[in-house]
Structures are given as C-alpha cells and as structure tokens.
Amino acid sequence: MANPQLRTLQKVFGGVGAALFVVALLVAAHTVYFIRSAVHAPGEVIDLLHVESDDDGDGTWKPRVRFRTAAGETIEFESSTSSNPPSYEIGEAVQVLHAPGDPRNARIDGFFSLWGMSIVFGAIGTAFLVVVLVLAIAAAATPAQPTRRGRRRPR
C-alpha cells in the first residue's frame, strides 16, 4: 500500500475497532461475573419512563421496576436500557438480578438488559474493522504509482 494517508486511516480505524472489541469483552466479562454472583428476585414494572432523544419528542421508553429483597426491603430501580416500542408493560412481572450485598445494583433478567452493551460495542467495533478490510482490499487492487525516475514503487 503506497498511500500513507490510507495507511494512517487503516491504523486509526483498526485501533478504534480493536479498542471497541476489548470494551465489549470487558463488559461481557463483567456481566458474566454479575450473573454468577447475583441474587434472583421477582419484580414488577411499575412505570415506563420516556427518554427523549430529539426536539420532536421522539424517544425511547425504559421500565421502572420494583422488587423485594430476601430481607424484605423494597427496592425500585430504572433499567439502564430503553426501547421504542417499550419492551415491557406497566404491571408486567419480570425477573430481577441484583448484587448480593447491594440490592440497588439491579438489572432486569432479560437478554438486552444484560448483554446489550456488549452487543453494541462489538457491532460498532465490527463496523470499524470492516472499513479496515475494505481499505486493505482497495489498496491491494490499486496499481503501484510510478516514481519520478519512471520506476514503479513496490507495494
């Protein structure tokens, strides 16, 4: 690849893609640890909170959940994930996972609630690495440019 700008672009995109994959793996490892140590409790969606994303009032909805710990303490928390349309309905029963010593550190036991961040970081990392692959293919398909002395530069 003769073009230094293309090489720099590949390095930047490759570095960002690799970093995002590392973040995805770290978040996934944290989730696995959380699930293995978590306490299960039944919960209920008590409200849907609107998360506004633009001036038009469009946005997503995240559930507010109430559950009771084994010690009888009532805890309410807002899910860290939201969606449009809402993934849950008010009054819907959900399974809750919470940290044994910190019941306020709780999550809904649902696929996206647990794995969503890993998936998002992994998908964005994949997109960056696909760009690197496309740039590598484009560079390989581009013929070498002649130098001033009439010789071709090696690839």
Side-chain angles (χ1 to χ4, degrees), residues 9-20:
L9 195 59
Q10 275 187 298
K11 288 178 184 177
V12 169
F13 272 72
V16 171
L20 288 169

Side-chain angles (χ1 to χ4, degrees), residues 62-125:
K62 66 180 176 178
R64 181 163 183 77
V65 177
R66 179 184 298 141
F67 70 97
R68 187 176 303 274
T69 66
E73 182 182 6
T74 300
I75 304 289
E76 292 182 8
F77 72 96
E78 296 172 10
S79 176
S80 60
T81 59
S82 61
S83 62
N84 189 3
S87 297
Y88 301 94
E89 295 178 5
I90 295 174
E92 183 174 345
V94 294
Q95 198 56 243
V96 174
L97 298 173
H98 68 83
D102 183 13
R104 297 201 181 284
N105 179 6
R107 298 186 204 175
I108 296 173
D109 186 6
F111 182 79
F112 200 77
S113 294
L114 295 172
W115 302 105
M117 291 304 291
S118 292
I119 292 169
V120 168
F121 281 116
I124 295 170

Side-chain angles (χ1 to χ4, degrees), residues 1-95:
M1 174 182 359
N3 187 338
Q5 292 170 332
L6 193 56
R7 225 178 302 144
T8 300
L9 195 59
Q10 275 187 298
K11 288 178 184 177
V12 169
F13 272 72
V16 171
L20 288 169
F21 264 116
V22 169
V23 170
L25 291 174
L26 291 173
V27 171
H30 181 269
T31 299
V32 168
Y33 174 79
F34 177 79
I35 291 170
R36 285 186 178 167
S37 63
V39 176
H40 294 258
E44 178 183 357
V45 176
I46 59 170
D47 198 5
L48 293 172
L49 307 170
H50 188 251
V51 180
E52 202 165 306
S53 60
D54 58 30
D55 294 335
D56 295 338
D58 291 338
T60 57
W61 299 89
K62 66 180 176 178
R64 181 163 183 77
V65 177
R66 179 184 298 141
F67 70 97
R68 187 176 303 274
T69 66
E73 182 182 6
T74 300
I75 304 289
E76 292 182 8
F77 72 96
E78 296 172 10
S79 176
S80 60
T81 59
S82 61
S83 62
N84 189 3
S87 297
Y88 301 94
E89 295 178 5
I90 295 174
E92 183 174 345
V94 294
Q95 198 56 243

